Amino acid sequence: MSRTPQGQRASLDKQPHEVAAMFDGVAARYDLTNTVLSFGQDRSWRRATRAALGLRPGERVLDVGAGTGVSTEELAHSGAYAVGADLSLGMLQAGKRTRPSVPLLAGDALRLPFADASFDAVTISFALRNVNDTDAALAELARVTRPGGRLVVCEFSTPVNPAFRTVYLSYLMRSLPAVARAVSSNPDAYVYLAESIRAWPDQAALAGRIGAAGWGRVAWRNLTGGVVALHRAVRN
Ligand SMILES: C[S@@+](CC[C@H](N)C(=O)[O-])C[C@H]1O[C@@H](n2cnc3c(N)ncnc32)[C@H](O)[C@@H]1O
């Protein structure tokens, strides 16, 4: 864990206790900081995630790395039964305060507290990047999904236009930490955010990892020019 006068951030090898402690530190202002740093785009990314899942009323959907439940709450608008799981008790407590009606549980993406084939659909928003074994998490998501069930991964990705990509990377590395200092309860976590986005596989590489972890019919769609990508897949 790196420490500075402002707070703490996880290292890029993403040890679970470091990641949980870092999110405990941002929990209090997580929702607000997200909306400010994404210029309000986070709401449309969440709506697109819900649409990509194609949820029907009465289906069961699991939101892994649910944090404060902001992503889980959006899923429930479909009429499906949506439950969130997260490693950070601080994020879960913040969620219980602000969204008492959203079911949130403590759970590790690598050892989910559910039986095989429990869900019609699973999703993970802005959290797969934080799990220290991406492939094991994708396989664990497949384990709890019924055959024919759906996966949507919503994650930061690689902007497709080279000029926009240059501007975006400069925002990530310079402006984002500065803005985070003004609004976040742990600005240092946003240095980790920028570094972890840069180190993350691009759209095609992530699709290959999903396909190798028990998922078929993998496809993706770029949002905001590829700042975010939605990867969809069906459980084999
Ligand atoms: C950036 S937040 C995303 C929260 C929410 N899904 C959203 O869209 O705003 C990432 C979350 O992933 C959680 N997380 C990281 N590693 C995890 C793991 N191994 N198992 C479960 N949750 C994890 C963190 O605690 C954090 O709450």
Side-chain angles (χ1 to χ4, degrees):
M1 175 76 70
S2 306
R3 284 173 189 285
T4 74
Q6 286 88 28
Q8 52 194 8
R9 67 177 192 256
S11 46
L12 277 183
D13 63 359
K14 304 178 246 191
Q15 290 306 309
H17 64 281
E18 291 186 356
V19 170
M22 180 181 73
F23 280 101
D24 288 348
V26 299
R29 306 189 76 184
Y30 175 81
D31 293 353
L32 169 72
T33 309
N34 251 356
T35 300
V36 171
L37 293 180
S38 71
F39 304 103
Q41 291 293 300
D42 61 320
R43 295 194 182 118
S44 69
W45 298 335
R46 295 182 199 295
R47 281 196 296 272
T49 301
R50 171 166 58 81
L53 280 160
L55 296 167
R56 292 179 287 273
E59 283 194 315
R60 292 162 57 94
V61 57
L62 173 65
D63 182 25
V64 175
T68 59
V70 58
S71 44
T72 322
E73 182 176 53
E74 177 63 41
L75 301 176
H77 291 148
S78 64
Y81 175 72
V83 57
D86 201 280
L87 199 63
S88 156
L89 295 183
M91 292 287 272
L92 292 168
Q93 280 160 0
K96 287 277 173 208
R97 273 196 305 276
T98 51
R99 300 181 181 83
S101 63
V102 174
L104 295 173
L105 303 172
D108 184 345
L110 298 175
R111 274 182 303 272
L112 291 167
F114 300 103
D116 296 357
S118 300
F119 291 93
D120 301 294
V122 292
T123 185
I124 180 162
S125 294
F126 307 109
L128 187 58
R129 190 175 24 85
N130 302 309
V131 179
N132 71 349
D133 188 337
T134 307
D135 305 306
L138 289 167
E140 180 67 349
L141 287 166
R143 182 187 68 76
V144 300
T145 307
R146 66 164 169 81
R150 293 94 67 200
L151 165 73
V152 172
V153 176
C154 173
E155 190 50 89
F156 292 111
S157 199
T158 304
V160 282
N161 177 298
F164 177 53
R165 189 161 61 231
T166 304
V167 172
Y168 171 68
L169 285 176
S170 153
Y171 166 70
L172 268 188
M173 301 314 288
R174 299 201 198 126
S175 316
L176 182 139
V179 179
R181 271 195 288 282
V183 281
S184 173
S185 45
N186 178 8
D188 247 42
Y190 291 85
V191 176
Y192 163 85
L193 171 69
E195 288 172 352
S196 67
I197 291 174
R198 284 220 313 190
W200 186 241
D202 68 11
Q203 287 85 334
L206 181 59
R209 308 267 292 261
I210 294 171
W215 298 96
R217 291 163 51 191
V218 185
W220 73 83
R221 180 183 154 209
N222 291 317
L223 303 176
T224 318
V227 166
V228 167
L230 294 185
H231 282 74
R232 274 185 306 153
V234 175
R235 169 82 157 85
N236 289 328

